[in-house]
Amino acid sequence: MSQLSILFVTSEMAPWVKTGGLGDVSAALPAALHKAGHDVRVLIPNYPALQAAFPQARLAAQLPALAPGLPPARLLSAETAGLPLLLLDCPELYGNAGNPYLDDHGHDRQDNPIRFGLLSRIAALLGQAHSPIDWQANVVHVNDWQSAMAPVYLHFEGGSASVVTVHNIAFMGCFGHEYLASLGLPQHAWRFDGVEFHGQLSFLKAGLQFATRISTVSPTYAREIQDEHFGYGLAPLMRHRESALRGILNGIDTEIWNPSTDPELVSHYAANRLAAKRKNKSALQEEMGLEVADDVTLFGVISRLTHQKGLDLLLTIQDGMAALPMQLAVLGSGERDLEAGFSALAKRYPGKIAVKLGFDEALAHRIEAGADCFLMPSRFEPCGLNQMYSLRYGTPPIVRATGGLADTVVDVSEETLANMTANGFVLRDDTPHAMWLAMERVCRSRPDKRQWLRIQQNGMRRDFSWKQAAHDYISLYRDAISARELER
Ligand code: ADP
């Protein structure tokens, strides 16, 4: 099969800049495509963290101002483990440290439409005949609203095939009409079947309208976003583009998330050596100020604290949790009232419930290894990584049946135990009581050591590597390239 030239465009990439799942995907998927023998290059803004990581980046091109509102910039080239990076350098737009989207007060950065308009514009340029470097992509793969305008330029100006991946349809990148001109787009693009969305310019909607192919990060989420409840107003467009839409489940980085080598753990273990997991539990209990005991069930949470993640359910069943032989270790940050709620919960039950507010990658590994069961009752979850990390760490998760959670977690039942697929617990309905019932079910199940071991091993033995996903993306790219050729 012929080699593809793929431009992977992203606004975050682990380990340098990461606010969520997209950061992890951007590190893993291009690496897997590169390993599969394709010529893939990653385009990302040259944030301070990248400047620090790649001080020897070389100038690849000077980029003139390409639209009235877009400043001139430079493309720098660097490499990570053999994978070429293209760093979009424009200090006036990307020079601030911290969160890539928010300012120090937690507000959207004012110049986001320009910052990510420029990223999209340059991405498109690299898929066009007048690419500023000695390379042209035959497919431009953009991710979320931050790069979703690239397919729009490619549509109106010509150029390569494009693929847009929706990691979370709730973030649409909506801005005023005036940006149409600043970004150098034609006025006739302002249509309901163009870039306009309820009187605004929506980057994501525009990308979904014009990309050659669309993907989301799980098959269930690809179905859900065609439904008003999950589609945030984009459901009719998603239904309209159904034949161009695919669901491809993310993989995980199985080297970074490997309980038999993870440097953050006090004790390494594997599916056939699960007894060694216990030491991680006592170490975690000690670290988080919980009573050190093995007979209580330790539930873990690692999450953004937002409405999406459904963790408010836990705050409504405090008395119920108090009555269970359980402990809870929470690592998260996000909305102020949820942070306050969890802090108060920890104060109310010292030794039983511990909460750490903040982002702490190392502790996240220790919670995955130390907890008995992971809680992820998301209201919606495009793919979700933490439930896959949990499965791999022998820490069966409790989840709602939505998105990628539904595609990865198989509820324990007589049938699924018999066919060796049972690997976690799925909420039976959407109420706080269902959450409590699931936690109670786990506390009751765990003492049956043989059955619990089987549930853990079923999860640990499933293949969550990027190999399958990379293969599916390659066929999606080929499909997009053929479709684009037919358009010409
Ligand atoms: P989302 O992208 O919606 O936040 P995912 O489960 O897909 O949810 O990905 C979340 C990623 O961010 C995971 O790698 C998870 O471990 C990490 N994460 C989230 N919150 C924290 C935190 N407070 N500390 C450390 N890692 C976190």
Side-chain angles (χ1 to χ4, degrees), residues 12 18-25 167-168 171 250 257 301-306 308-309 331-333 356-365 368 374 376 378 380-387 389:
E12 53 184 272
K18 170 175 151 177
T19 69
L22 173 60
D24 290 320
V25 172
H167 299 262
N168 190 336
F171 302 107
N250 286 336
W257 294 95
V301 168
I302 305 158
S303 187
R304 290 187 291 120
L305 297 176
T306 65
Q308 176 196 339
K309 300 293 178 179
L331 167 63
S333 65
K356 177 153 183 224
L357 297 180
F359 198 94
D360 186 338
E361 192 86 37
L363 179 58
H365 284 247
E368 289 293 5
F374 192 81
M376 199 160 170
S378 308
F380 67 95
E381 194 60 77
C383 174
L385 294 169
N386 273 310
Q387 86 281 13
Y389 300 154

Side-chain angles (χ1 to χ4, degrees), residues 362-435:
L363 179 58
H365 284 247
R366 294 194 291 272
I367 291 178
E368 289 293 5
D372 295 304
C373 173
F374 192 81
L375 301 180
M376 199 160 170
S378 308
R379 293 193 162 82
F380 67 95
E381 194 60 77
C383 174
L385 294 169
N386 273 310
Q387 86 281 13
M388 293 194 269
Y389 300 154
S390 305
L391 291 167
R392 188 154 161 82
Y393 276 59
T395 308
I398 294 180
V399 302
R400 270 195 172 106
T402 183
L405 301 176
D407 292 330
T408 49
V409 180
V410 181
D411 194 33
V412 171
S413 69
E414 257 175 50
E415 186 193 339
T416 58
L417 281 169
N419 68 17
M420 310 279 280
T421 54
N423 63 13
F425 300 82
V426 178
L427 295 196
R428 304 275 157 92
D429 64 59
D430 260 0
T431 60
H433 186 60
M435 182 73 208

Side-chain angles (χ1 to χ4, degrees), residues 22 31 52 69 79 82 92 98 109 115 122 134 149 179-180 217 222 229 285 309-310 314 331-332 406 449-450 475 482:
L22 173 60
E79 217 181 83
E92 65 180 277
R109 293 187 193 265
R115 297 171 73 231
I122 302 307
D134 186 20
M149 290 301 281
Y179 287 106
L180 196 64
V217 287
H229 178 68
Q285 287 170 321
K309 300 293 178 179
L314 294 177
L331 167 63
K449 293 226 153 53
R450 272 189 54 197
S475 52
S482 325

Side-chain angles (χ1 to χ4, degrees), residues 290-312:
L290 295 166
E291 195 188 317
V292 178
D294 191 46
D295 51 347
V296 291
T297 298
L298 174 52
F299 291 93
V301 168
I302 305 158
S303 187
R304 290 187 291 120
L305 297 176
T306 65
H307 183 75
Q308 176 196 339
K309 300 293 178 179
L311 293 161
D312 46 292

Side-chain angles (χ1 to χ4, degrees), residues 175-189:
F175 308 104
H177 170 263
E178 65 277 15
Y179 287 106
L180 196 64
S182 336
L183 297 179
L185 289 161
Q187 281 303 322
H188 63 262

